Amino acid sequence: MNLSKLFELLESEINKDFTKTKVLEYKSPKEMIEHLDLDIQNESNGEKDLYKSINKYLSGSVDTAHPLFSNQLWAGRNYPALISEFVTSLRNTSVYTYETAPAATIIETYMIDMLCKKMGFKEGDGTFLTGSSNANLISLLVARNTLFPEIKSKGLSSLPELCFFVSEHSHYSFEKAANVLGFGEDNVIKVRADENHRMIPSELELSIKNSIDEGKKPFYVCGTAGTTEVGAFDPLIELQEIAKQHNLWFHTDGAWGGALIFSNKHKHLLKGIENSDSISWDAHKLMGIPLICSVILLKDNNQLLPAVCEQTSDYLFHEHEYDDLDLGKKSIQCGRRVDSLKLWLSFKYYGMKGYEERINKMVSLAEYLNHKVNSNPSFELLAPTTYCNVNFRFNPEFDLSLEEINGINLNARDEMYKEGTALFNYCYIDSKLSIRFILANPDVNTTDLDNILEIFQSKCEKLIALTV
Amino acid sequence: MNLSKLFELLESEINKDFTKTKVLEYKSPKEMIEHLDLDIQNESNGEKDLYKSINKYLSGSVDTAHPLFSNQLWAGRNYPALISEFVTSLRNTSVYTYETAPAATIIETYMIDMLCKKMGFKEGDGTFLTGSSNANLISLLVARNTLFPEIKSKGLSSLPELCFFVSEHSHYSFEKAANVLGFGEDNVIKVRADENHRMIPSELELSIKNSIDEGKKPFYVCGTAGTTEVGAFDPLIELQEIAKQHNLWFHTDGAWGGALIFSNKHKHLLKGIENSDSISWDAHKLMGIPLICSVILLKDNNQLLPAVCEQTSDYLFHEHEYDDLDLGKKSIQCGRRVDSLKLWLSFKYYGMKGYEERINKMVSLAEYLNHKVNSNPSFELLAPTTYCNVNFRFNPEFDLSLEEINGINLNARDEMYKEGTALFNYCYIDSKLSIRFILANPDVNTTDLDNILEIFQSKCEKLIALTV
């Protein structure tokens, strides 16, 4: 197999000069369909067409490694992790048995142990899985089956309605999990948060009492460490005390904020996380590991296996001296990609210190952007910046309606997207459209941020001229 | 970034001469821990150590691309799909919104539509997901929420026990799904199969009646197209008739056997699949796409979205003209890797015809191995070969106990594994240890199969000399 075209492609992508490229070449869905030439023929299209199609995919995609991509909670490129991802595909194994995935089994076991210890779980357990939506679901499953072991065989139908508590700013995966697990979405109780988006402990107490009065059976509380929208950290210790009084499972959704455990400077935001029963964390977010790299961690190493394991697959799980190591028994997946290699190798490459510096840099950049926004009278901060989310809007001193301001911010943002200048996201905070800028790419610098703000402001000003 | 080491590695792996390499260099867990040098330092280990560790991973792993690897339902290397996997990691996006993943959204939508049409679903729907264990779970979720829509908000606690029916030879993911979804494992009713491992329709009828008598509420039947152990195909049409009489959802688990839809010669084994309500299929099995590449397909395109969607994530799903295309709403994941690119590009590369030839070749090789086993008096076939699974054991004309024969077969197989000669799996059929040889790698030839059989037989004969 002649690999020269592949090497050319990798060279040009990995060593790209982003000052000369856009975040994307926008195409409407109709244009994209034409661009891609989707049809599959009966005959082989061969090598030449393969690279033609690959180039169409590349030019039709958002370049998430570009410093001006800031739309999601992940961005940028982690070089050793990218190379490891290639290596993972070369060996293409499934991490269910030691027999089929010996090195991967040892690496995953080591990484889970390392992460547990970092989080403060001395005898913890866990597994890599398909994202924190899945991790949150597994935390609910393990809590449910640990507290009510008969559910595993008998199901939920003879039990009272089980309910659980999350912040009103928690991730939407909890509704999905309540649906999947058979609790029902109505049994996700949203607890009120303060103006900084942190769950209010007294409101949790109240919600628990109300649910008991309604005849429901509370069993689980989730504190969020780094909310999706503003990056708020719930007061874990106060919430844990209440959970403990009521004998409820306590989960910390650290999908986004959990990375701070690697920063001595900032890990105080996670204070109390070691007293959680379970923790979700996505290494594919702030640490830049290619999607997907995600774990669920459990404080007690006797819970995961009985909550998910079944014993009828003798074609897969055998009885050799090494079969106790088989990780498939702890997973609700059967075939499962090796997601631990890229995390392990990027930790080794950068060292603990390298990751700490990376994280501290991202928080500093967020502080810088926060400062720039705050010192510009045309901008308004919409939430305090405690982590890597900066929420603001353009709001000049004109007499404009909420709808008009929202429209101007949205249109300016969308124009930049369609021009390929920059891609950042937005959400609504108290009905105000909030530009949600995420700092997750360590190759971003302050000049990039200055430029984006300047372009955004100038677009908004042009739009305002059309409005007033 | 200097990429010469990466290119060297890719060259040597992709153009490897497998006649000169082993399937693996076996190491015990203890040896593997030493081999890998797991520790993460505080300081950076840098580029040189990265490739050292990568080489340790490669040499510590089973080479699943090797022609003598036959342990799982996947094997070999699909070149265009491997390259596409690299490209997927380069763009590293999540296929939840058109904004962030425009090309991937269009490709996934096209592929789901193409696969639906191939299966005979004229107006179908579906999604890529994390494997057929997940696909089977989603089929149960969509069935449950379509037939009992109030469960999504209210949960299962006020309903009678819902139960469903699978073959006694169905995949173990159904127990896991029953646990996760809150039905309970006891509500997976295993239906008896005939001596060819095909579910017996009259037994399904009986099981349904019994469950109703016990006060349970049946709602779903799964027919397996290609069982994990022997590759049996349930009689879909007869089972569907019974399901229809009782108004039950009918799912076909085609994780392994679904690929036959691309072979005009063999697709008769899937007769009736077009009348299923849902189908699971893993493209990472017979078609050699790198893990994971898996879909759930639904006959009715009005069911998936309402069964899984929730509406509270305004930070992610917006209201632009292209937002209707957002695939995240149909998934229980949030972040989701692009798994459609590698399937699309490998279809384009080989063409429909190329895949048909690949599949026909694998079935022919299974027939060849079946013939070789059958014509050798020292071997005994343990199940008829209808697909790519060949089940047999060494069973010479000596007076040996079941335990002795099982032990000889197991030890011979394990010796070959530990020597790195070949890796194939085993299961138990009526307490007899059965060597389960899977034909999934199109680079295997008849000489490879002759060699494996010869080595295996000679090992068994040596072991028998020690026994008698």
Side-chain angles (χ1 to χ4, degrees):
Chain A
M1 196 63 76
N2 184 335
L3 300 175
S4 57
K5 277 190 185 160
L6 171 65
F7 295 164
E8 221 174 90
L9 185 153
L10 292 175
E11 180 83 48
S12 78
E13 279 294 324
I14 295 177
N15 290 326
K16 188 187 282 185
D17 177 358
F18 289 115
T19 62
K20 293 181 178 148
T21 64
K22 289 182 172 189
V23 175
L24 84 156
E25 298 282 347
Y26 176 78
K27 289 171 186 64
S28 72
K30 213 183 140 204
E31 290 162 345
M32 186 65 79
I33 289 169
E34 279 170 34
H35 168 75
L36 287 169
D37 180 20
L38 291 157
D39 279 355
I40 293 163
Q41 309 295 324
N42 201 34
E43 304 293 323
S44 164
N45 269 9
E47 180 93 1
K48 201 179 148 198
D49 266 32
L50 174 65
Y51 284 93
K52 220 166 112 185
S53 295
I54 285 174
N55 284 320
K56 284 178 178 175
Y57 176 75
L58 290 170
S59 63
S61 295
V62 173
D63 195 347
T64 64
H66 197 292
L68 302 181
F69 172 80
S70 161
N71 205 55
Q72 316 298 147
L73 301 180
W74 41 268
R77 179 168 289 151
N78 181 323
Y79 172 72
L82 177 69
I83 305 302
S84 308
E85 193 72 331
F86 296 170
V87 173
T88 298
S89 306
L90 281 171
R91 274 300 171 272
N92 191 41
T93 198
S94 169
V95 65
Y96 33 41
T97 63
Y98 184 82
E99 263 191 7
T100 296
T105 299
I106 297 297
I107 291 167
E108 173 160 339
T109 304
Y110 172 80
M111 288 306 293
I112 289 291
D113 187 58
M114 185 280 266
L115 294 171
C116 280
K117 294 215 162 71
K118 267 279 160 194
M119 292 293 182
F121 292 172
K122 281 180 197 146
E123 297 196 332
D125 195 5
T127 182
F128 282 71
L129 31 65
T130 64
S132 275
S133 290
N134 190 224
N136 290 336
L137 182 146
I138 296 296
S139 76
L140 282 160
L141 175 70
V142 178
R144 189 194 78 180
N145 287 11
T146 302
L147 298 170
F148 310 96
E150 71 282 9
I151 291 178
K152 197 179 175 210
S153 53
K154 300 288 171 206
L156 286 162
S157 70
S158 61
L159 285 161
E161 277 187 68
L162 301 179
C163 68
F164 63 94
F165 305 85
V166 298
S167 160
E168 59 173 317
H169 300 297
S170 66
H171 190 254
Y172 74 100
S173 52
F174 287 98
E175 276 90 350
K176 287 201 175 183
N179 171 25
V180 171
L181 293 165
F183 302 127
E185 292 170 349
D186 292 353
N187 288 310
V188 187
I189 317 279
K190 299 285 184 81
V191 180
R192 278 188 52 208
D194 63 20
E195 69 282 7
N196 296 329
H197 287 224
R198 303 174 81 221
M199 201 200 287
I200 302 168
S202 60
E203 290 285 332
L204 172 62
E205 185 71 58
L206 197 66
S207 297
I208 293 172
K209 287 191 175 138
N210 288 344
S211 73
I212 295 170
D213 290 347
E214 288 170 24
K216 294 185 178 184
K217 174 89 188 142
F219 78 103
Y220 172 108
V221 175
C222 168
T224 306
T227 59
T228 314
E229 290 165 358
V230 313
F233 288 74
D234 283 340
L236 300 181
I237 293 175
E238 289 96 314
L239 301 177
Q240 283 163 351
E241 275 167 21
I242 298 167
K244 204 173 175 185
Q245 281 161 26
H246 294 272
N247 292 314
L248 311 183
W249 186 279
F250 192 87
H251 175 68
T252 298
D253 179 0
W256 172 223
L260 288 184
I261 205 72
F262 301 106
S263 163
N264 287 310
K265 189 172 173 189
H266 297 293
K267 70 178 175 192
H268 63 89
L269 286 167
L270 299 172
K271 213 173 162 186
I273 198 167
E274 67 279 7
N275 298 318
S276 313
D277 293 297
S278 52
I279 301 169
S280 304
W281 179 54
D282 280 339
H284 62 240
K285 291 198 162 100
L286 198 63
M287 298 177 86
I289 311 293
L291 296 154
I292 299 289
C293 192
S294 185
V295 293
I296 178 76
L297 304 173
L298 282 302
K299 182 165 65 184
D300 179 338
N301 64 13
N302 288 308
Q303 295 172 334
L304 182 57
L305 189 68
V308 306
C309 190
E310 67 70 60
Q311 299 288 3
T312 62
S313 49
D314 70 45
Y315 80 92
L316 186 59
F317 301 116
H318 300 317
E319 52 274 299
H320 300 88
E321 67 281 11
Y322 43 73
D323 297 336
D324 280 351
L325 298 169
D326 289 353
L327 298 176
K329 295 172 193 163
K330 292 185 193 173
S331 173
I332 62 166
Q333 292 179 255
C334 177
R336 189 160 62 92
R337 231 173 150 265
V338 176
D339 288 332
S340 57
L341 179 70
K342 53 194 173 187
L343 185 62
W344 176 58
L345 286 179
S346 67
F347 260 116
K348 279 180 93 82
Y349 182 88
Y350 291 113
M352 283 294 177
K353 208 172 140 192
Y355 262 121
E356 175 162 19
E357 285 164 5
R358 177 193 181 105
I359 291 163
N360 292 349
K361 182 184 174 187
M362 300 322 305
V363 179
S364 295
L365 280 171
E367 285 162 0
Y368 174 83
L369 183 60
N370 178 82
H371 169 74
K372 289 288 288 187
V373 164
N374 234 350
S375 56
N376 183 329
S378 296
F379 288 130
E380 178 191 3
L381 265 183
L382 291 176
T385 300
T386 43
Y387 185 39
C388 298
N389 312 39
V390 184
N391 276 269
F392 65 96
R393 63 174 180 170
F394 175 76
N395 186 16
E397 290 163 347
F398 291 105
D399 191 17
L400 294 169
S401 70
L402 176 67
E403 286 67 33
E404 283 168 330
I405 304 176
N406 284 356
I408 287 164
N409 279 275
L410 178 59
N411 289 335
R413 178 260 180 195
D414 284 356
E415 272 183 26
M416 288 174 77
Y417 167 54
K418 289 194 176 171
E419 290 169 5
T421 326
L423 180 51
F424 44 84
N425 220 327
Y426 65 95
C427 56
Y428 289 90
I429 296 180
D430 301 329
S431 306
K432 296 169 190 161
L433 187 140
S434 172
I435 297 299
R436 187 200 67 167
F437 207 94
I438 298 292
L439 282 304
N441 181 347
D443 298 326
V444 169
N445 58 44
T446 53
T447 315
D448 294 325
L449 298 178
D450 292 347
N451 288 343
I452 289 183
L453 275 189
E454 199 178 305
I455 299 170
F456 181 67
Q457 179 168 357
S458 121
K459 287 212 177 286
C460 287
E461 280 163 358
K462 270 184 205 152
L463 286 162
I464 216 170
L466 297 172
T467 310
V468 285
Chain B
M1 196 63 75
N2 184 336
L3 299 175
S4 57
K5 276 189 186 160
L6 172 65
F7 294 165
E8 220 174 274
L9 185 154
L10 292 175
E11 181 83 48
S12 78
E13 279 294 324
I14 295 177
N15 290 326
K16 187 186 283 185
D17 177 358
F18 290 115
T19 62
K20 293 181 178 148
T21 65
K22 289 182 171 189
V23 175
L24 84 156
E25 298 282 348
Y26 175 78
K27 288 172 187 64
S28 72
K30 212 184 140 203
E31 290 162 344
M32 186 65 79
I33 289 169
E34 278 170 35
H35 168 75
L36 287 170
D37 181 20
L38 290 157
D39 279 355
I40 293 163
Q41 309 295 324
N42 201 34
E43 304 293 322
S44 164
N45 269 9
E47 180 93 2
K48 201 179 148 197
D49 266 31
L50 174 65
Y51 284 93
K52 219 165 113 184
S53 295
I54 285 174
N55 284 320
K56 284 178 179 176
Y57 176 76
L58 290 170
S59 63
S61 295
V62 173
D63 195 347
T64 64
H66 198 291
L68 302 181
F69 171 80
S70 161
N71 205 56
Q72 316 297 148
L73 301 180
W74 41 268
R77 179 169 290 150
N78 181 323
Y79 171 72
L82 176 70
I83 306 301
S84 308
E85 194 72 331
F86 296 170
V87 173
T88 298
S89 306
L90 282 171
R91 274 300 171 270
N92 190 41
T93 198
S94 169
V95 65
Y96 33 41
T97 63
Y98 183 81
E99 263 191 7
T100 296
T105 299
I106 297 297
I107 292 167
E108 173 159 339
T109 303
Y110 172 81
M111 289 306 293
I112 289 291
D113 187 59
M114 185 280 265
L115 294 171
C116 279
K117 293 215 162 70
K118 268 280 160 192
M119 292 293 182
F121 291 172
K122 281 179 196 147
E123 298 195 332
D125 195 5
T127 182
F128 282 71
L129 31 64
T130 64
S132 275
S133 289
N134 190 224
N136 290 336
L137 182 146
I138 296 296
S139 76
L140 282 160
L141 176 70
V142 178
R144 188 193 79 180
N145 287 11
T146 302
L147 298 170
F148 310 96
E150 71 283 9
I151 290 178
K152 197 179 174 211
S153 53
K154 301 287 172 207
L156 287 162
S157 71
S158 61
L159 285 160
E161 276 187 68
L162 301 178
C163 69
F164 63 94
F165 305 85
V166 298
S167 160
E168 58 174 318
H169 301 296
S170 66
H171 190 254
Y172 74 101
S173 53
F174 288 98
E175 276 90 350
K176 287 201 175 182
N179 171 24
V180 171
L181 293 164
F183 302 128
E185 292 169 349
D186 291 354
N187 287 311
V188 186
I189 318 278
K190 299 285 184 81
V191 180
R192 277 188 52 209
D194 63 20
E195 69 282 8
N196 296 329
H197 287 224
R198 303 174 81 223
M199 201 200 288
I200 302 168
S202 59
E203 290 286 333
L204 172 62
E205 185 71 57
L206 197 65
S207 297
I208 293 172
K209 287 189 176 139
N210 288 344
S211 72
I212 295 170
D213 290 347
E214 288 170 25
K216 294 185 178 185
K217 174 88 188 141
F219 78 102
Y220 172 108
V221 175
C222 168
T224 306
T227 59
T228 314
E229 290 165 359
V230 313
F233 288 73
D234 283 340
L236 300 181
I237 292 174
E238 289 96 313
L239 301 178
Q240 283 163 350
E241 275 168 20
I242 298 167
K244 204 174 175 183
Q245 282 161 26
H246 294 272
N247 293 314
L248 310 184
W249 186 279
F250 193 86
H251 175 68
T252 298
D253 179 1
W256 172 223
L260 288 184
I261 205 72
F262 301 105
S263 163
N264 288 309
K265 188 172 173 188
H266 297 294
K267 71 179 175 191
H268 64 89
L269 286 167
L270 298 173
K271 213 173 163 187
I273 197 167
E274 67 279 8
N275 298 318
S276 313
D277 294 296
S278 52
I279 301 169
S280 303
W281 180 54
D282 279 339
H284 63 240
K285 292 198 162 101
L286 199 62
M287 298 177 85
I289 311 292
L291 296 153
I292 299 289
C293 191
S294 185
V295 292
I296 178 77
L297 303 173
L298 282 302
K299 182 164 66 184
D300 179 338
N301 63 13
N302 288 308
Q303 295 172 334
L304 182 58
L305 189 67
V308 306
C309 190
E310 67 70 60
Q311 299 288 3
T312 62
S313 49
D314 69 45
Y315 80 91
L316 187 59
F317 301 117
H318 300 317
E319 52 274 299
H320 300 89
E321 68 281 11
Y322 43 73
D323 297 336
D324 280 352
L325 298 169
D326 289 353
L327 297 176
K329 295 172 194 164
K330 292 185 193 172
S331 173
I332 62 167
Q333 292 179 255
C334 177
R336 189 159 63 91
R337 232 173 149 266
V338 177
D339 288 333
S340 57
L341 179 70
K342 52 194 174 186
L343 185 61
W344 176 59
L345 286 179
S346 67
F347 260 116
K348 279 179 92 83
Y349 182 88
Y350 292 113
M352 283 292 178
K353 208 172 140 190
Y355 262 121
E356 174 161 20
E357 285 164 5
R358 177 194 181 104
I359 291 163
N360 292 349
K361 182 183 174 188
M362 300 322 305
V363 179
S364 295
L365 280 171
E367 286 162 0
Y368 175 83
L369 183 60
N370 179 83
H371 169 74
K372 288 289 287 187
V373 164
N374 233 350
S375 56
N376 183 330
S378 296
F379 288 131
E380 178 191 3
L381 265 183
L382 291 176
T385 300
T386 44
Y387 184 40
C388 298
N389 312 39
V390 184
N391 276 270
F392 65 96
R393 63 173 180 171
F394 175 77
N395 186 16
E397 290 164 346
F398 290 105
D399 192 18
L400 294 170
S401 70
L402 176 67
E403 285 66 34
E404 283 168 329
I405 304 176
N406 284 356
I408 287 164
N409 279 274
L410 178 59
N411 289 334
R413 178 261 180 196
D414 284 355
E415 272 184 26
M416 288 175 77
Y417 167 55
K418 290 194 175 170
E419 290 169 6
T421 326
L423 179 51
F424 44 84
N425 220 327
Y426 65 95
C427 56
Y428 288 90
I429 297 180
D430 301 329
S431 305
K432 296 169 189 160
L433 186 140
S434 172
I435 298 298
R436 187 200 67 167
F437 208 93
I438 297 292
L439 282 304
N441 181 347
D443 297 327
V444 169
N445 58 44
T446 53
T447 315
D448 294 325
L449 298 178
D450 292 347
N451 288 343
I452 289 183
L453 275 189
E454 199 179 304
I455 298 170
F456 181 67
Q457 180 169 356
S458 120
K459 287 212 176 287
C460 287
E461 281 163 357
K462 270 184 205 151
L463 287 163
I464 215 169
L466 297 172
T467 310
V468 286

